[in-house]
């Protein structure tokens, strides 16, 4: 049942992405709403799949890289669906939905490691840690998308050569604002997520800081976003530089999230393989 | 049958002097719509005059005579320049050609600047005038409403109007791509020439918040400032305001650059990197071209803007082809509706005859039965009405169904013989159709 749901969700995300790619080149509002609806349907199936699996394991199913990626794709899609309603920036979907598909496909390719049931996961701390961090990462993914859009649009205006996307992309100011607000909400969430993680680590491993690669990279990522936010607030960093930082920051998120899981072994990987 | 005819001239067929004279004549002497009672062969009349065109759209049962009458009116307005000279300026379209012509005009396909949006408003205003004076009836009412919807469809399904084709509008569009809204933005105008004035008007109509004028001669600056409710500053203070303005528009005759690289670069930190958009429409240029390299600074000179305009013009041409297709399609659809009108006189005659019989018979019956109460009479009246309605329903539906076919004339003739109807179709000077208010008699 769970795998059927997952397949349906993946197919829905693919269809939604195809719709959004069409929408990128053609201003057909119906295509946008159809794609939005398909993504919503996909998210419902996806949520059901994860719920079934979590019930089966008796804790939130995010304990392998495959599960983590899948859960992240869900959080990303849901965040996008909500942000879309709020912002009404339809073209954003064309840049966000492919990310969801990539994460889903990557998740299905990774080996589904079976980890023995452990009481460590059955804690509210873990749920809080994972949900705040994933939500922050989803917002950073949106900031990343807005950053890519900004760079595309800025290049056309600066170099005075206008491609097909010029008319479809919104104003630079709007893209920069989206980048900023995603950071403004995402950064506190990330901070809370990390603090919760360290606190819980302190409970289970006696020390909150264990020189674990994941911990190190998480802090590096946090520093990147902290610098971006600080520079934005103090000297008014914006535009191209901020867009690049959002892209670098999200790359760091991916390294922390995947690279460390797959390449480096550490304390954290004892239970997240 | 009544057909639609259009007589007009536009910027391609007539030189501006002739159009001018006609427009002035129409305004000063007599409104052409007032002449309708004098035009014996014209039934409904719609008249449009803009700086680029004059169009008479009318329906008539005798086209040839009607066209001659309208041509006479035109000659009169032009101070009788002789019949031959006029004929070379006007075009005459009939039937579907007239329909697609008015569709093309409204969709701005026939305009001097293809895609310009004003023409639809002008057509609407002229239509309002015509409805107030009751010179339009069933056919032209329907045609003009259709015209509005075709123009709307062209707007929404093609991007014919969405690309700026003037320098100053292109600058506004670019500013909107950089800033989104222009509402809280500050504009600095350097120089006070005509180009600056034109561009400033565009920015103002897009709601920029505040304007400042810098000019070497103070009088002109003050004059422009009054016009746009702007501040004035001295030329030397331009570098100071660079930290607060968002858009700088420059067009002076200065041989030396006015805004330098270092002046802008050093103020970006103070501006907290807020973007700034320079528009340099002066030749030689007023603004150091290197400032386009500074982050969050955008500089467009006159050639850059001209490049944008050229691309947009090509784009409009492509969109115009799509629009032509829509116009052709809609004209065909309208033609089908027009055909259905042919059977309307027969239907009306049929209804009139039945109604006549019903009223006559009812009168007789009521006079023989004086004891009936008011309520009884009403019920009987209702009864007769529904009998007539039900009886006529099928023949009318049948006629309407056949109205789009070639054979419609046979069926209407047959119906007329069968019911012994008196009806004149296709004869000059007779009255027609249901609901078509005879606009002349109504006056």
């Amino acid at each position: 049942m769970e795998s059927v749901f997952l397949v349906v969700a993946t197919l829905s995300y693919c269809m939604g992405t195809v719709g959004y790619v069409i929408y990128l080149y053609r201003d057909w509002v119906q295509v946008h709403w159809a794609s939005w609806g398909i993504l919503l349907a996909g998210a419902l199936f996806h949520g059901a799949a994860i719920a079934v699996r979590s019930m089966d394991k008796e804790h939130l199913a995010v304990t392998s890289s495959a599960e983590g990626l899948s859960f992240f794709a869900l959080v990303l899609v849901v965040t996008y669906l909500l942000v879309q309603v709020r912002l009404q920036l339809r073209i954003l979907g064309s840049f966000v939905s492919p990310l969801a598909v990539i994460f889903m496909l990557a998740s299905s390719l990774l080996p589904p490691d079976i980890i023995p049931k452990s009481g460590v996961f059955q804690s509210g701390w873990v749920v809080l840690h994972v949900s705040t961090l994933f939500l922050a990462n989803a917002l950073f993914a949106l900031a990343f998308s807005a950053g890519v859009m900004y760079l595309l649009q800025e290049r056309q205006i600066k170099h005075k050569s206008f491609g097909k996307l010029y008319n479809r992309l919104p104003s630079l100011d709007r893209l920069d604002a989206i980048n900023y607000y995603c950071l403004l909400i995402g950064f506190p969430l990330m901070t809370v997520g990390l603090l919760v993680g360290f606190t819980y680590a302190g409970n289970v491993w006696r020390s909150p800081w264990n020189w674990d690669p994941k911990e190190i990279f998480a802090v590096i990522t946090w520093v990147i976003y902290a610098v971006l936010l600080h520079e934005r607030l103090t000297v008014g960093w914006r535009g191209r530089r901020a867009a690049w930082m959002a892209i670098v920051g999200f790359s760091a998120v991916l390294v922390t999230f995947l690279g460390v899981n797959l390449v480096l072994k550490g304390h954290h990987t004892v239970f997240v393989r | 049958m009544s057909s639609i005819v259009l007589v007009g001239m536009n910027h391609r067929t007539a030189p501006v002097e002739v159009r001018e004279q006609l427009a002035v004549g129409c305004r000063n002497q007599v409104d052409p719509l007032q002449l309708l009672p004098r035009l014996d062969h014209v039934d409904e009349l719609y008249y449009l005059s803009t700086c680029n065109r004059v169009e008479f759209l009318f329906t008539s049962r005798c086209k040839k005579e009607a066209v001659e009458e309208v041509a006479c009116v035109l000659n009169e307005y032009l101070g009788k320049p002789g019949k031959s000279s006029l004929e070379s300026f006007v075009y005459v379209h009939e039937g579907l050609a007239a329909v697609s012509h008015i569709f093309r005009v409204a969709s701005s396909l026939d305009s001097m600047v293809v895609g310009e949006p004003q023409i639809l408003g002008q057509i609407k205003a002229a239509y309002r005038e015509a409805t107030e004076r009751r010179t339009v009836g069933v056919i032209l009412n329907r045609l003009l409403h259709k015209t509005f919807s075709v123009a709307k469809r062209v707007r929404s399904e093609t991007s014919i109007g969405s690309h700026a084709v003037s320098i100053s509008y292109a600058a506004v569009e670019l500013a909107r791509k950089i800033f989104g809204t222009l509402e809280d933005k500050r504009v600095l105008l350097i120089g006070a020439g005509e180009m600056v004035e034109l561009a400033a008007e565009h920015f103002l109509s897009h709601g920029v918040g505040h304007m400042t004028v810098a000019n070497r001669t103070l009088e002109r600056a003050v004059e422009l400032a009054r016009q746009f409710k702007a501040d004035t500053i001295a030329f030397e203070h331009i570098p100071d305001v660079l930290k607060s303005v968002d858009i700088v528009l420059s067009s002076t005759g200065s041989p030396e650059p006015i805004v330098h690289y270092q002046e802008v670069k050093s103020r970006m930190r103070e501006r907290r990197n807020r973007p700034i958009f320079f528009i340099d429409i002066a030749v030689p240029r007023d603004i150091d071209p290197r400032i386009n390299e500074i982050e969050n600074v955008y500089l467009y000179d006159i050639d850059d803007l001209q490049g944008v305009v050229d691309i947009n013009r090509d784009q409009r041409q492509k969109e115009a082809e799509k629009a032509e297709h829509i116009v052709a399609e809609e004209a065909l659809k309208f033609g089908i509706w027009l055909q259905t009108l042919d059977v309307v006189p027969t239907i009306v005659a049929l209804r009139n005859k039945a109604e006549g019989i019903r009223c006559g018979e009812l009168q007789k019956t009521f006079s023989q039965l004086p004891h009936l109460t008011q309520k009884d009479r009403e019920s009987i009246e209702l009864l007769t009405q529904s009998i007539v309605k039900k009886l006529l329903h099928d023949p009318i539906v049948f006629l309407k169904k056949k109205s789009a076919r070639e054979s419609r004339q046979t069926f209407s003739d047959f119906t007329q013989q069968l019911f012994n109807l008196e009806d004149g179709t296709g004869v000059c000077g007779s009255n027609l159709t249901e609901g078509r208010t005879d606009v002349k008699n109504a006056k």
Side-chain angles (χ1 to χ4, degrees):
Chain A
M1 200 58 177
E2 178 211 329
S3 56
V4 175
F5 281 173
L6 270 184
V7 169
V8 172
T10 311
L11 285 179
S12 303
Y13 292 164
C14 288
M15 273 164 64
T17 303
V18 169
Y20 268 119
V21 170
I22 293 171
Y23 183 73
L24 188 58
Y25 290 97
R26 292 269 182 273
D27 191 4
W28 293 333
V29 181
Q30 299 91 323
V31 172
H32 160 259
W33 282 118
S35 311
W36 191 88
I38 292 169
L39 285 185
L40 179 63
L44 292 177
F45 277 105
H46 196 174
I50 290 177
V52 168
R53 194 180 177 98
S54 301
M55 232 110 79
D56 186 38
K57 290 186 142 190
E58 291 165 9
H59 61 77
L60 197 57
V62 286
T63 49
S64 74
S65 292
E67 287 174 352
L69 266 178
S70 158
F71 188 67
F72 181 51
L74 175 67
V75 175
L76 179 61
V77 170
V78 171
T79 309
Y80 165 70
L81 292 173
L82 295 176
V83 166
Q84 178 58 52
V85 173
R86 180 84 183 81
L87 283 183
Q88 290 294 317
L89 181 63
R90 299 191 280 263
I91 205 82
L92 191 60
S94 308
F95 291 80
V96 175
S97 56
L99 288 178
V101 171
I102 291 170
F103 293 144
M104 277 309 266
L105 292 181
S107 150
S108 63
L109 291 178
L110 289 174
D113 291 328
I114 308 299
I115 294 170
K117 282 183 186 174
S118 158
V120 179
F121 311 127
Q122 289 169 335
S123 161
W125 287 97
V126 174
V127 175
L128 188 61
H129 170 66
V130 170
S131 57
T132 48
L133 276 180
F134 276 32
L135 191 55
N137 289 351
L139 287 166
F140 292 150
L142 292 188
F144 165 84
S145 306
V148 171
M149 288 159 85
Y150 185 95
L151 291 177
L152 287 174
Q153 184 73 320
E154 212 252 3
R155 203 185 143 76
Q156 303 190 64
I157 294 177
K158 197 92 173 176
H159 294 264
K160 296 154 191 173
S161 64
F162 304 100
K164 280 205 168 124
L165 287 181
Y166 174 70
N167 283 313
R168 306 288 297 121
L169 290 173
S171 67
L172 295 180
D173 188 70
R174 180 118 201 253
L175 290 170
D176 193 59
I178 291 169
N179 193 318
Y180 181 50
Y181 288 121
C182 288
L183 180 66
L184 214 55
I185 304 169
F187 185 74
L189 280 174
M190 186 192 196
T191 313
V192 169
L194 289 183
L195 289 177
V196 168
F198 288 131
T199 315
Y200 191 55
N203 285 349
V204 252
W205 297 321
R206 300 222 177 99
S207 160
W209 183 260
N210 304 289
W211 291 105
D212 175 87
K214 194 153 190 120
E215 288 172 353
I216 297 168
F217 275 96
V219 169
I220 291 173
T221 310
W222 184 87
V223 168
I224 291 174
Y225 281 112
V227 167
L228 175 56
L229 188 61
H230 177 262
E231 293 297 290
R232 262 192 182 276
L233 291 173
T234 54
V235 297
W237 257 27
R238 59 164 72 219
R240 238 157 65 86
R241 215 176 289 189
W244 272 117
M245 278 300 266
I247 291 171
V248 170
F250 189 63
S251 311
V253 167
L254 290 185
V255 169
T256 314
F257 186 50
L258 285 182
V260 176
N261 281 6
L262 299 177
V263 182
L264 302 162
K265 302 281 172 205
H267 204 116
H268 207 260
T269 44
V270 169
F271 59 97
V272 178
R273 208 179 307 274
Chain B
M1 275 322 300
S2 205
S3 58
I4 300 174
V5 186
L6 184 140
V7 176
M9 58 173 70
N10 64 17
H11 56 280
R12 275 191 295 274
T13 64
V16 66
E17 306 86 61
V18 176
R19 298 189 323 256
E20 231 165 36
Q21 212 176 344
L22 196 60
V24 169
C26 292
R27 205 175 312 128
N28 293 352
Q29 297 170 19
V30 195
D31 188 324
L33 295 179
Q34 283 179 8
L35 291 177
L36 185 58
R38 251 183 58 195
L39 305 170
D40 292 330
H41 297 289
V42 175
D43 297 331
E44 304 175 24
L45 176 66
Y46 168 82
Y47 159 75
L48 170 74
S49 162
T50 74
C51 47
N52 282 332
R53 65 181 63 253
V54 175
E55 314 261 1
F56 286 82
L57 179 65
F58 54 91
T59 62
S60 169
R61 269 156 286 165
C62 312
K63 289 180 236 173
K64 234 177 117 190
E65 291 85 344
V67 171
E68 268 168 26
E69 281 178 353
V70 170
C72 274
V73 171
L74 286 175
N75 272 329
E76 253 173 65
Y77 283 138
L78 287 174
K80 299 189 182 79
K83 207 177 172 196
S84 55
S85 68
L86 177 72
E87 267 171 6
S88 59
F89 300 141
V90 298
Y91 43 79
V92 178
H93 296 303
E94 284 171 21
L96 281 193
V99 171
S100 44
H101 180 80
I102 191 79
F103 286 176
R104 292 187 72 242
V105 170
S107 313
S108 195
L109 290 169
D110 200 42
S111 303
M112 198 181 252
V113 179
V114 172
E116 57 95 7
Q118 283 93 341
I119 184 69
L120 183 59
Q122 289 162 334
I123 288 182
K124 281 185 176 165
Y127 174 63
R128 211 171 300 129
E129 181 86 352
T131 48
E132 272 164 18
R133 289 173 184 273
R134 296 164 180 276
T135 65
V136 284
V138 175
I139 296 181
L140 289 193
N141 266 327
R142 174 108 177 193
L143 174 58
L144 282 154
H145 281 288
K146 194 71 210 169
T147 303
F148 304 149
S149 74
V150 170
K152 207 173 153 199
R153 201 182 142 198
V154 166
R155 287 267 141 196
S156 62
E157 290 181 22
T158 72
S159 49
I160 191 159
S162 64
H163 305 286
V165 290
S166 75
I167 298 259
S168 37
Y169 193 50
V172 172
E173 292 278 277
L174 275 164
R176 280 154 55 109
K177 275 292 181 192
I178 295 170
F179 298 109
T181 169
L182 299 182
E183 261 158 35
D184 49 348
K185 298 296 175 279
R186 302 170 76 92
V187 177
L188 170 65
L189 308 172
I190 303 178
E194 213 173 297
M195 281 293 266
V196 169
E197 196 176 330
L198 195 69
E201 265 168 25
H202 267 289
F203 275 110
L204 211 61
S205 68
H206 283 84
V208 292
H210 188 263
M211 289 212 188
T212 308
V213 183
N215 195 41
R216 282 199 213 273
T217 52
L218 194 63
E219 291 84 12
R220 180 70 184 127
V222 170
E223 195 184 306
L224 202 65
R226 198 179 309 127
Q227 192 181 335
F228 295 124
K229 296 198 182 77
D231 296 339
T232 56
I233 55 158
F235 228 63
E236 305 77 64
H237 291 147
I238 288 173
D240 300 330
V241 294
L242 283 182
K243 61 174 184 275
S244 60
V245 297
D246 304 288
I247 298 165
V248 179
L249 184 76
S250 184
S251 176
T252 72
S254 161
E256 298 291 317
I258 293 168
V259 179
H260 301 277
Y261 180 84
Q262 207 48 47
E263 286 167 359
V264 179
K265 174 98 181 154
S266 61
R267 276 169 186 81
M268 284 316 282
R269 201 177 166 90
E270 222 173 323
R271 291 180 61 82
R272 294 176 52 84
N273 290 310
R274 274 181 300 113
I276 182 164
F277 180 31
F278 287 93
I279 304 151
D280 185 358
I281 45 184
V283 180
R285 287 176 290 182
D286 288 339
I287 296 166
D288 186 345
R290 280 189 307 146
I291 69 164
N292 193 44
E293 292 157 20
I294 305 171
E295 223 174 288
N296 296 314
V297 177
Y298 305 91
L299 167 66
Y300 275 71
D301 64 28
I302 186 100
D303 282 2
D304 299 332
L305 290 172
Q306 190 59 50
V308 175
V309 167
D310 288 345
I311 295 170
N312 290 351
R313 199 165 278 149
D314 291 350
Q315 195 67 34
R316 275 200 183 189
Q317 213 50 53
K318 273 187 211 141
E319 294 298 314
E321 283 159 25
K322 273 194 229 165
E324 294 282 2
H325 184 78
I326 294 175
V327 164
E329 185 188 322
E330 294 285 350
L332 266 178
K333 276 195 223 160
F334 192 80
I336 292 171
W337 177 78
L338 216 51
Q339 283 177 357
T340 64
L341 282 185
D342 289 359
V343 301
V344 168
T346 309
I347 292 174
V348 173
L350 189 59
R351 278 202 189 126
N352 284 347
K353 174 151 190 175
E355 185 65 13
I357 294 170
R358 188 186 73 85
C359 289
E361 294 302 309
L362 209 57
Q363 211 67 48
K364 270 192 236 162
T365 309
F366 283 163
S367 61
Q368 284 165 9
L369 302 166
H371 61 275
L372 289 177
T373 63
Q374 186 62 28
K375 210 177 163 195
D376 293 337
R377 282 164 191 262
E378 275 169 20
S379 325
I380 293 173
E381 174 115 33
L382 220 61
L383 168 78
T384 56
Q385 274 172 358
S386 58
I387 289 174
V388 165
K389 211 172 155 191
K390 291 207 166 145
L391 204 57
L392 290 185
H393 179 260
D394 286 329
I396 289 176
V397 168
F398 176 80
L399 276 173
K400 281 188 178 165
K401 211 157 57 183
K402 297 293 175 195
S403 65
R405 305 250 179 101
E406 282 297 315
S407 54
R408 60 187 178 278
Q409 200 54 51
T410 321
F411 287 110
S412 13
D413 288 348
F414 189 64
T415 312
Q416 284 170 26
Q417 285 172 23
L418 197 63
F419 288 93
N420 190 23
L421 301 172
E422 284 173 16
D423 166 64
T425 45
V427 186
C428 267
S430 62
N431 284 339
L432 296 175
T433 70
E434 144 204 49
R436 183 187 300 183
T437 43
D438 193 321
V439 286
K440 282 186 208 166
N441 295 342
K443 286 186 98 173

